[in-house]
Amino acid sequence: MLRLDAAAPITPEAFLWSCRAQLSAEDAEAAEALLTGKDSGHPAVRRWRNREAILRNAVCRERARAAGKDASRWLHPTSDCDVRLEHLAEAALQEKDPLAKERALDKARWTAAEEMGGPDPLGISRVFAYAVELALITRWQAKNAEVGRAAFKALTEVPITL
């Protein structure tokens, strides 16, 4: 069991190694695509990308609404809708703190991944959901205040040459 606010019990590399050892080549490739963001035509990856597009579209619409703009030019096509996911995105954007906003959006992604996993804890859908969840945890574990400050400094410090 994974938790967004806890350290991952396995590295992404070890997870992918296990997938390659235990799953079909097609399913292992799908798990890797979900973990790393690579492209794949696998149905599970397409399903996840659709969920991500629904979330991103909701964020886009909310930001456009706040700016008094039309969001239609930035929206990505989706194969269905998910009102719950859209509400989670809208609620996340109500956060004032940017870090809290980002964490709330990732909690919405986590919820979507759990739903994607389905009720069978040993099914292949659960493996795909695990890959998404592991990707989210890994992203948060990589955040480091010192690295963030250095990146900010590099982006905002403009050398003045005379």
Side-chain angles (χ1 to χ4, degrees):
M1 299 297 287
L2 296 176
R3 289 186 23 221
L4 185 57
D5 59 349
I10 188 170
T11 66
E13 296 78 19
F15 172 73
L16 291 176
W17 182 87
S18 294
C19 287
R20 289 184 197 107
Q22 301 293 319
L23 303 177
S24 69
E26 182 180 301
D27 287 343
E29 180 265 332
E32 182 177 0
L34 290 166
L35 181 62
T36 63
K38 290 181 180 177
D39 218 7
S40 172
H42 192 281
V45 177
R46 285 197 317 267
R47 231 178 0 262
W48 175 252
R49 299 283 188 262
N50 188 60
R51 290 278 157 265
E52 181 69 20
I54 290 169
L55 181 72
R56 288 175 180 257
N57 285 347
V59 169
C60 181
R61 278 192 297 277
E62 187 64 23
R63 286 183 174 157
R65 184 197 58 74
K69 305 270 186 197
D70 177 27
S72 60
R73 69 183 272 207
W74 294 289
L75 298 178
H76 294 276
T78 59
S79 61
D80 60 353
C81 66
D82 186 334
V83 176
R84 181 173 175 217
L85 194 53
E86 290 187 20
H87 287 306
L88 288 172
E90 291 167 6
L93 291 176
Q94 301 307 312
E95 294 285 346
K96 299 295 181 210
D97 176 28
L99 187 62
K101 192 176 297 191
E102 188 174 352
R103 184 168 294 281
L105 287 170
D106 276 353
K107 284 180 183 177
R109 287 181 178 93
W110 191 276
T111 298
E114 284 181 334
E115 290 170 356
M116 182 176 86
D120 182 4
L122 300 176
I124 190 66
S125 293
R126 185 64 225 142
V127 173
F128 297 142
Y130 194 96
V132 171
E133 292 166 351
L134 185 58
L136 291 169
I137 291 172
T138 303
R139 190 171 82 81
W140 279 96
Q141 285 180 337
K143 291 187 182 300
N144 177 309
E146 199 55 43
V147 172
R149 280 192 278 281
F152 177 78
K153 185 177 178 182
L155 291 171
T156 57
E157 252 185 29
V158 178
I160 300 174
T161 55
L162 300 174

